Amino acid sequence: MKDMLLSRKELNKVNTCIQCGTCVASCYSSRATALNTRRLVFDYINKNIPMHDDTIWYCSTCYSCQERCPRGIMLTDILIRVREEVAEEHLPSKLKKFIENIREYGMGVPPRKSDIDMRRKLGLKNYSAQFIEKSLKEVREIIDSRRDKL
Amino acid sequence: MKEMVFYPGCVIPNRYPGVEKTMYYAMEKLGYIMKPMEGYSCCPPPGIVRSVDEELWFSLATRNLSLYDDRTIMTACNGCFATLFDANRLSGNGEREIRHVVEFLYRDVGLEKIKARVTKFLPLKVAVHYGCHLLRPSIYREVDSPENPVILDVLVEAVGAESVPYPTKMVCCGGGGGVRAGHREVALEILKRKLTPLKVLNVDCIVVVCPLCQHQFDVGQVELKNEGVNFNIPVLHYSQLLATAFGLELEMLGLEAHTTMTENLQEKLEKGEDLEQ
């Protein structure tokens, strides 16, 4: 699955980066933060990813850099792949909580009482895994099978 | 009546239930029966779950895909669309199609059929926001131009509204990729930059096609207000606009869940532009 999401060939294209900076110029997050995709690619090629650098989590994954990269490098998908490596050492706690919510409720964003009330008023049924025991069990089994990563 | 399965995700049912209501309503008016996907879980989002564990992301996504045998799974969230679309592409099931309501309305239903169903044209001035993952990465999505799309603009015009151009139209809302969840201050700074050009345009509302963008715009504006930056621009999902144009009463749009709302917008939605006149 991993190779299909980002093939070795696509991944290796990163070595053709000319450090032109189109990615940074296209990056909305970089106008508000220190996120520097060009620099990140340079560090990645040099196998020198700073593991405790929070800026990688400032990317909103809008894919503007990837669309505009003149070398056709899958920049956003590579950034997500690098996040996976970084997450093993340093995962922002609020993102961890999101995954815990999925385990608990089947939902990253679980309902509040006001949401349940409004659903009733609008005549909507509650049919997510949160309300179906067998389904919630399946979801928990999938998450627990990946416990070593989380 | 054609049948399909509706995958609502997390944010629609648990933050903006009105979007779910209006999806079922509008699609039925157009001749589609959407079955609720019973037992579904969070899609899960690429920016958070795929960023932490790609295998987990894929396993949870394919579980959702496997729940029903229907050919078409409908979504109304860019994040859910992206995850299910990509997981479906990777799982190699050519029989199943993952659709986003906006591209489905434009490509499969068509503007003429939509216009023919409108009972109340809505004379609104709106700023449309496509969001990111509906269009990008464009090599896979093939929905519309990733830089200069038109489908949402013409769909908004089909119900009588005017889509105004604005310089930050294609800028991200700032909420995706786990940014809103993990680093709120960054999300709000991007949001402020996104909304600033709208201040002088006097739009009635922003029209989105993703509940995560909707939440970021809607609740984000309240958070910015607490910091002294006031925009006060309400945010509607296209399905809420469409259902209103098809005749659904205002009380069924779930507007109480919206934290940024104006009387001006509600009045215009209520009255519309009477067809008899």
Side-chain angles (χ1 to χ4, degrees), chain A residues 4-5 7 10 16 22 26 45 50-51 58 60 70 73 80-81 91 93 97 105-106 127 135-136 141 144 147:
Chain A
M4 291 194 314
L5 204 53
S7 71
E10 288 293 351
T16 69
T22 303
S26 305
I45 293 168
M51 298 304 272
Y58 301 161
S60 64
I73 300 169
I80 290 174
R81 181 64 58 84
L91 175 64
S93 60
K97 174 86 177 114
Y105 308 102
Y127 51 90
S135 303
L136 190 57
E141 276 167 12
D144 290 341
R147 254 310 184 229

Side-chain angles (χ1 to χ4, degrees), chain B residues 160-274:
Chain B
E162 177 199 358
S163 168
V164 300
Y166 64 104
T168 50
K169 187 170 173 179
M170 295 311 293
V171 173
C172 172
C173 71
V179 176
R180 186 174 166 81
H183 298 280
R184 185 71 47 91
E185 67 292 350
V186 173
L188 291 181
E189 184 58 35
I190 299 173
L191 178 67
K192 192 167 78 185
R193 285 157 183 269
K194 165 89 190 181
L195 295 179
T196 297
L198 288 178
K199 258 191 160 166
V200 293
L201 290 173
N202 292 318
V203 293
D204 296 305
C205 65
I206 297 167
V207 175
V208 297
V209 294
C210 169
L212 187 105
C213 302
Q214 187 164 17
H215 189 250
Q216 158 79 349
F217 284 133
D218 182 41
V219 180
Q221 283 188 72
V222 175
E223 291 160 348
L224 283 174
K225 199 174 177 179
N226 293 338
E227 291 174 15
V229 186
N230 194 12
F231 293 104
N232 202 28
I233 309 168
V235 192
L236 294 179
H237 192 286
Y238 183 71
S239 71
Q240 292 171 302
L241 205 62
L242 189 62
T244 307
F246 285 174
L248 186 67
E249 15 351 332
L250 230 57
E251 303 80 70
M252 300 311 269
L253 301 184
L255 297 181
E256 307 94 296
H258 296 233
T259 55
T260 303
M261 188 45 65
T262 62
E263 278 179 23
N264 162 60
L265 176 66
Q266 294 188 64
E267 207 171 289
K268 284 184 178 172
L269 288 174
E270 182 75 56
K271 279 159 75 178
E273 192 179 73
D274 200 328

Side-chain angles (χ1 to χ4, degrees), chain B residues 119-191:
Chain B
T119 56
K120 179 162 72 173
F121 282 100
L122 304 167
L124 303 170
K125 191 171 158 187
V126 309
V128 304
H129 172 76
Y130 284 83
C132 300
H133 301 119
L134 171 70
L135 306 170
R136 299 185 288 267
S138 59
I139 47 162
Y140 298 125
R141 296 289 181 273
E142 299 179 313
V143 164
D144 200 348
S145 160
E147 301 274 2
N148 195 16
V150 297
I151 60 172
L152 182 57
D153 297 78
V154 293
L155 282 167
V156 155
E157 282 157 12
V159 299
E162 177 199 358
S163 168
V164 300
Y166 64 104
T168 50
K169 187 170 173 179
M170 295 311 293
V171 173
C172 172
C173 71
V179 176
R180 186 174 166 81
H183 298 280
R184 185 71 47 91
E185 67 292 350
V186 173
L188 291 181
E189 184 58 35
I190 299 173
L191 178 67

Side-chain angles (χ1 to χ4, degrees), chain A residues 122-139:
Chain A
L122 297 176
L124 293 165
K125 288 194 300 175
N126 294 312
Y127 51 90
S128 78
Q130 183 182 0
F131 303 96
I132 302 171
E133 202 179 321
K134 177 181 152 285
S135 303
L136 190 57
K137 197 167 159 261
E138 286 170 12
V139 171

